[in-house]
Amino acid sequence: QVQLVESGGGLVQAGGSLRLSCTASGRAFSKYAMGWFRQAPGKEREFVAAINWSAGSTNYADSVKGRFTISRDNAKKMVFLQMNSLKPEDTAVYYCAAGDPTYYSGNYYRQGEYDYWGQGTQVTVSS
């Protein structure tokens, strides 16, 4: 079992930055693939970024590529999402997710790849 808690959301002006954190509890965190997803009002939850267990591979949605950076610290059981050059369309609830290595098949953009989810943190970008 893995429990995830996101933090770092808030209100920021367009062009600003925020750093989201996800703190995990439970065993074998270092073996899990991790992802960030977001859900805007009235829209479906969508993939944002993912990182493999060793941080050797990262992937991003086209809409955030070049602006967001995902990273992890396995010793601290944490995953981060650095968000720069924020736009109003980035406004959403952001979720951290963990993929159990037993089942993870590498399709990082699919929500079904992830077995554990946090409660989410609100990010609001004003124009």
Coordinates of all heavy atoms in Angstrom, one line a residue, residues 76-125:
K76 N 13.7 10.5 0.2 CA 12.6 11.2 1.0 C 11.2 10.8 0.6 O 10.3 11.3 1.2 CB 12.8 12.7 0.7 CG 14.1 13.3 1.2 CD 14.1 14.8 1.0 CE 15.4 15.4 1.5 NZ 15.5 16.9 1.3
K77 N 11.1 9.9 -0.3 CA 9.8 9.4 -0.8 C 8.9 10.5 -1.3 O 7.8 10.7 -0.9 CB 9.1 8.6 0.3 CG 9.8 7.3 0.7 CD 8.9 6.6 1.8 CE 9.6 5.3 2.2 NZ 8.8 4.5 3.1
M78 N 9.5 11.3 -2.1 CA 8.8 12.5 -2.6 C 8.9 12.6 -4.2 O 9.9 12.2 -4.7 CB 9.3 13.8 -2.0 CG 9.1 13.8 -0.5 SD 9.6 15.4 0.2 CE 8.3 16.5 -0.4
V79 N 7.9 13.2 -4.7 CA 7.9 13.5 -6.2 C 7.5 15.0 -6.3 O 6.7 15.5 -5.5 CB 6.9 12.7 -6.9 CG1 6.9 13.1 -8.4 CG2 7.2 11.2 -6.8
F80 N 8.1 15.7 -7.2 CA 7.9 17.1 -7.4 C 7.4 17.4 -8.8 O 7.8 16.7 -9.8 CB 9.2 17.9 -7.1 CG 9.8 17.5 -5.8 CD1 10.8 16.6 -5.7 CD2 9.3 18.1 -4.6 CE1 11.4 16.3 -4.5 CE2 9.9 17.8 -3.4 CZ 10.9 16.8 -3.3
L81 N 6.7 18.5 -8.9 CA 6.4 19.1 -10.2 C 6.6 20.6 -10.2 O 5.9 21.3 -9.5 CB 4.9 18.8 -10.6 CG 4.5 19.2 -12.0 CD1 5.2 18.3 -13.0 CD2 3.0 19.1 -12.2
Q82 N 7.7 21.0 -10.8 CA 8.0 22.4 -11.0 C 7.3 22.9 -12.2 O 7.5 22.4 -13.3 CB 9.5 22.6 -11.1 CG 10.0 24.0 -11.3 CD 9.7 24.8 -10.1 OE1 10.0 24.4 -9.0 NE2 9.2 26.1 -10.3
M83 N 6.5 23.9 -11.9 CA 5.6 24.5 -13.0 C 6.0 26.0 -13.2 O 5.9 26.8 -12.3 CB 4.2 24.4 -12.6 CG 3.7 23.0 -12.2 SD 2.0 22.9 -11.9 CE 1.8 23.9 -10.5
N84 N 6.6 26.3 -14.3 CA 7.0 27.6 -14.7 C 6.1 28.2 -15.8 O 5.4 27.4 -16.5 CB 8.4 27.6 -15.1 CG 9.4 27.2 -14.0 OD1 9.1 27.4 -12.8 ND2 10.5 26.5 -14.4
S85 N 6.1 29.5 -16.0 CA 5.4 30.1 -17.1 C 3.9 29.7 -17.1 O 3.4 29.3 -18.1 CB 6.0 29.8 -18.5 OG 7.4 30.2 -18.5
L86 N 3.3 29.7 -15.9 CA 2.0 29.2 -15.8 C 1.0 30.0 -16.6 O 1.1 31.2 -16.7 CB 1.6 29.1 -14.3 CG 2.2 27.9 -13.6 CD1 2.1 28.2 -12.1 CD2 1.4 26.7 -13.9
K87 N 0.0 29.3 -17.1 CA -1.1 30.0 -17.9 C -2.4 29.7 -17.3 O -2.6 28.7 -16.5 CB -1.1 29.3 -19.3 CG 0.2 29.4 -20.1 CD 0.1 28.6 -21.4 CE 1.5 28.6 -22.1 NZ 1.4 27.9 -23.4
P88 N -3.4 30.6 -17.5 CA -4.7 30.3 -16.9 C -5.3 28.9 -17.3 O -6.0 28.3 -16.4 CB -5.6 31.4 -17.6 CG -4.6 32.5 -17.9 CD -3.3 31.8 -18.3
E89 N -5.0 28.4 -18.4 CA -5.4 27.0 -18.8 C -4.8 25.9 -18.0 O -5.2 24.8 -18.1 CB -5.3 26.8 -20.3 CG -3.9 27.1 -20.8 CD -3.8 28.5 -21.4 OE1 -4.3 29.4 -20.8 OE2 -3.2 28.6 -22.5
D90 N -3.8 26.3 -17.2 CA -3.2 25.3 -16.2 C -4.0 25.1 -15.0 O -3.7 24.3 -14.1 CB -1.8 25.7 -15.9 CG -0.8 25.6 -17.1 OD1 -0.9 24.7 -17.9 OD2 0.0 26.5 -17.2
T91 N -5.0 26.0 -14.8 CA -5.9 25.9 -13.6 C -6.6 24.6 -13.5 O -7.2 24.1 -14.5 CB -6.9 27.0 -13.6 OG1 -6.2 28.3 -13.5 CG2 -7.9 26.9 -12.5
A92 N -6.4 23.9 -12.4 CA -6.9 22.5 -12.3 C -6.6 22.0 -10.9 O -5.8 22.6 -10.2 CB -6.4 21.6 -13.3
V93 N -7.2 20.9 -10.5 CA -6.8 20.1 -9.4 C -5.7 19.2 -9.9 O -5.9 18.4 -10.8 CB -7.9 19.4 -8.7 CG1 -7.4 18.5 -7.5 CG2 -9.0 20.3 -8.2
Y94 N -4.6 19.2 -9.2 CA -3.4 18.3 -9.6 C -3.3 17.1 -8.7 O -3.3 17.3 -7.5 CB -2.1 19.1 -9.6 CG -2.0 20.0 -10.8 CD1 -2.8 21.2 -10.9 CD2 -1.1 19.8 -11.8 CE1 -2.7 22.0 -12.0 CE2 -1.0 20.6 -13.0 CZ -1.8 21.7 -13.0 OH -1.8 22.5 -14.1
Y95 N -3.2 15.9 -9.3 CA -3.1 14.7 -8.6 C -1.8 14.0 -8.8 O -1.3 13.9 -9.9 CB -4.2 13.8 -9.0 CG -5.6 14.3 -8.8 CD1 -6.3 15.0 -9.7 CD2 -6.3 14.0 -7.6 CE1 -7.6 15.5 -9.5 CE2 -7.6 14.5 -7.3 CZ -8.2 15.2 -8.3 OH -9.5 15.7 -8.1
C96 N -1.3 13.4 -7.7 CA -0.1 12.6 -7.8 C -0.6 11.1 -7.8 O -1.6 10.8 -7.2 CB 0.7 12.9 -6.5 SG 2.1 11.8 -6.3
A97 N 0.1 10.3 -8.6 CA -0.3 8.9 -8.7 C 0.9 8.0 -8.7 O 2.0 8.4 -9.2 CB -1.1 8.7 -10.0
A98 N 0.7 6.8 -8.2 CA 1.8 5.8 -8.2 C 1.5 4.5 -8.9 O 0.4 4.0 -8.7 CB 2.2 5.5 -6.7
G99 N 2.4 4.0 -9.7 CA 2.1 2.8 -10.4 C 2.9 1.6 -9.8 O 4.1 1.6 -9.8
D100 N 2.2 0.6 -9.4 CA 2.8 -0.6 -8.8 C 3.6 -1.3 -9.9 O 3.1 -1.6 -10.9 CB 1.7 -1.5 -8.3 CG 2.2 -2.7 -7.5 OD1 3.3 -3.2 -7.8 OD2 1.6 -3.0 -6.4
P101 N 4.9 -1.5 -9.6 CA 5.8 -2.2 -10.6 C 5.3 -3.6 -11.0 O 5.7 -4.0 -12.1 CB 7.2 -2.2 -9.9 CG 6.9 -2.1 -8.4 CD 5.6 -1.3 -8.3
T102 N 4.5 -4.2 -10.1 CA 4.0 -5.5 -10.5 C 3.1 -5.5 -11.7 O 3.1 -6.4 -12.5 CB 3.2 -6.1 -9.3 OG1 4.1 -6.1 -8.2 CG2 2.7 -7.5 -9.6
Y103 N 2.4 -4.3 -11.9 CA 1.4 -4.3 -12.9 C 1.7 -3.2 -14.0 O 1.1 -3.2 -15.1 CB 0.0 -3.9 -12.3 CG -0.3 -4.8 -11.2 CD1 -0.4 -4.3 -9.8 CD2 -0.6 -6.2 -11.4 CE1 -0.7 -5.2 -8.8 CE2 -0.9 -7.0 -10.3 CZ -0.9 -6.5 -9.0 OH -1.2 -7.3 -8.0
Y104 N 2.6 -2.3 -13.7 CA 2.9 -1.2 -14.6 C 3.5 -1.7 -15.9 O 4.5 -2.4 -15.9 CB 3.9 -0.2 -13.9 CG 4.1 1.1 -14.6 CD1 3.1 2.1 -14.6 CD2 5.3 1.3 -15.2 CE1 3.4 3.3 -15.2 CE2 5.6 2.5 -15.8 CZ 4.6 3.5 -15.8 OH 4.8 4.7 -16.5
S105 N 2.9 -1.2 -17.0 CA 3.4 -1.7 -18.3 C 4.0 -0.6 -19.1 O 4.4 -0.8 -20.3 CB 2.2 -2.3 -19.1 OG 1.2 -1.3 -19.3
G106 N 4.2 0.6 -18.5 CA 4.9 1.6 -19.2 C 4.1 2.6 -20.0 O 4.6 3.6 -20.5
N107 N 2.8 2.4 -20.0 CA 1.9 3.4 -20.7 C 1.6 4.5 -19.7 O 0.5 4.7 -19.2 CB 0.6 2.7 -21.1 CG 0.9 1.7 -22.2 OD1 1.7 1.9 -23.1 ND2 0.3 0.5 -22.0
Y108 N 2.6 5.4 -19.5 CA 2.6 6.4 -18.4 C 1.4 7.4 -18.5 O 1.1 8.0 -17.5 CB 3.9 7.1 -18.5 CG 4.2 7.7 -19.8 CD1 3.7 8.9 -20.2 CD2 5.0 7.0 -20.7 CE1 4.0 9.5 -21.5 CE2 5.3 7.5 -22.0 CZ 4.8 8.7 -22.3 OH 5.1 9.2 -23.6
Y109 N 0.9 7.6 -19.7 CA -0.2 8.6 -19.9 C -1.6 8.0 -19.5 O -2.5 8.8 -19.5 CB -0.2 9.0 -21.3 CG -0.3 7.9 -22.3 CD1 -1.5 7.4 -22.8 CD2 0.9 7.3 -22.8 CE1 -1.5 6.4 -23.7 CE2 0.9 6.2 -23.7 CZ -0.4 5.8 -24.1 OH -0.4 4.7 -25.0
R110 N -1.7 6.7 -19.3 CA -3.0 6.1 -19.0 C -3.2 6.1 -17.5 O -2.4 5.6 -16.7 CB -3.0 4.7 -19.5 CG -3.0 4.6 -21.0 CD -3.1 3.2 -21.5 NE -3.1 3.1 -23.0 CZ -3.1 2.0 -23.7 NH1 -3.1 0.8 -23.0 NH2 -3.2 2.0 -25.0
Q111 N -4.4 6.6 -17.0 CA -4.7 6.6 -15.6 C -4.8 5.2 -15.1 O -4.4 4.9 -13.9 CB -6.1 7.3 -15.4 CG -6.0 8.8 -15.8 CD -7.3 9.5 -15.5 OE1 -7.9 9.4 -14.4 NE2 -7.8 10.2 -16.5
G112 N -5.1 4.2 -15.9 CA -5.3 2.8 -15.4 C -3.9 2.2 -15.0 O -3.9 1.1 -14.4
E113 N -2.8 2.9 -15.4 CA -1.5 2.3 -15.1 C -1.2 2.6 -13.6 O -0.2 2.0 -13.1 CB -0.4 3.0 -15.9 CG -0.4 2.6 -17.4 CD 0.2 1.2 -17.5 OE1 1.5 1.1 -17.5 OE2 -0.5 0.2 -17.6
Y114 N -1.9 3.5 -13.0 CA -1.6 3.9 -11.6 C -2.6 3.3 -10.6 O -3.8 3.4 -10.8 CB -1.6 5.4 -11.6 CG -0.5 6.0 -12.5 CD1 -0.9 6.3 -13.8 CD2 0.8 6.2 -12.1 CE1 0.1 6.8 -14.7 CE2 1.7 6.7 -13.0 CZ 1.4 7.0 -14.3 OH 2.3 7.5 -15.2
D115 N -2.0 2.8 -9.5 CA -2.8 2.1 -8.6 C -3.2 2.9 -7.3 O -4.1 2.6 -6.6 CB -2.0 0.9 -8.1 CG -1.6 0.0 -9.3 OD1 -2.5 -0.8 -9.7 OD2 -0.5 0.1 -9.8
Y116 N -2.4 4.0 -7.1 CA -2.6 4.8 -5.9 C -2.7 6.3 -6.3 O -1.9 6.7 -7.2 CB -1.5 4.6 -4.9 CG -1.4 3.1 -4.5 CD1 -0.4 2.3 -5.0 CD2 -2.3 2.5 -3.6 CE1 -0.3 1.0 -4.7 CE2 -2.2 1.2 -3.2 CZ -1.2 0.4 -3.8 OH -1.0 -0.9 -3.5
W117 N -3.6 7.0 -5.7 CA -3.8 8.4 -6.0 C -3.9 9.2 -4.7 O -4.4 8.8 -3.7 CB -5.1 8.6 -6.8 CG -5.1 7.9 -8.1 CD1 -5.2 6.6 -8.4 CD2 -4.8 8.6 -9.4 NE1 -5.1 6.4 -9.8 CE2 -4.9 7.6 -10.4 CE3 -4.6 9.9 -9.7 CZ2 -4.6 7.9 -11.7 CZ3 -4.4 10.2 -11.1 CH2 -4.4 9.2 -12.1
G118 N -3.4 10.5 -4.8 CA -3.6 11.4 -3.8 C -4.9 12.1 -3.9 O -5.7 11.8 -4.8
Q119 N -5.2 13.0 -2.9 CA -6.5 13.7 -2.9 C -6.5 14.9 -3.8 O -7.6 15.5 -4.1 CB -6.8 14.1 -1.4 CG -7.0 13.0 -0.5 CD -8.2 12.2 -0.9 OE1 -9.3 12.7 -1.1 NE2 -8.0 10.8 -1.1
G120 N -5.3 15.4 -4.2 CA -5.3 16.5 -5.1 C -5.0 17.8 -4.4 O -5.2 18.0 -3.3
T121 N -4.4 18.7 -5.2 CA -4.1 20.1 -4.7 C -4.5 21.1 -5.8 O -4.2 20.8 -7.0 CB -2.6 20.2 -4.3 OG1 -2.4 21.5 -3.7 CG2 -1.7 20.1 -5.5
Q122 N -5.2 22.1 -5.4 CA -5.8 23.1 -6.3 C -4.7 24.1 -6.8 O -4.0 24.7 -6.0 CB -6.9 23.9 -5.7 CG -7.5 25.0 -6.6 CD -8.3 24.4 -7.8 OE1 -9.1 23.5 -7.6 NE2 -8.0 24.9 -9.0
V123 N -4.6 24.2 -8.1 CA -3.7 25.3 -8.7 C -4.6 26.2 -9.5 O -5.4 25.8 -10.4 CB -2.7 24.6 -9.6 CG1 -1.9 25.7 -10.4 CG2 -1.7 23.8 -8.8
T124 N -4.6 27.5 -9.2 CA -5.4 28.5 -9.9 C -4.4 29.5 -10.5 O -3.6 30.1 -9.7 CB -6.4 29.1 -8.9 OG1 -7.2 28.1 -8.4 CG2 -7.3 30.1 -9.7
V125 N -4.5 29.8 -11.7 CA -3.7 30.7 -12.4 C -4.6 31.9 -12.9 O -5.4 31.6 -13.7 CB -2.9 30.1 -13.6 CG1 -2.0 31.1 -14.2 CG2 -2.1 28.9 -13.1

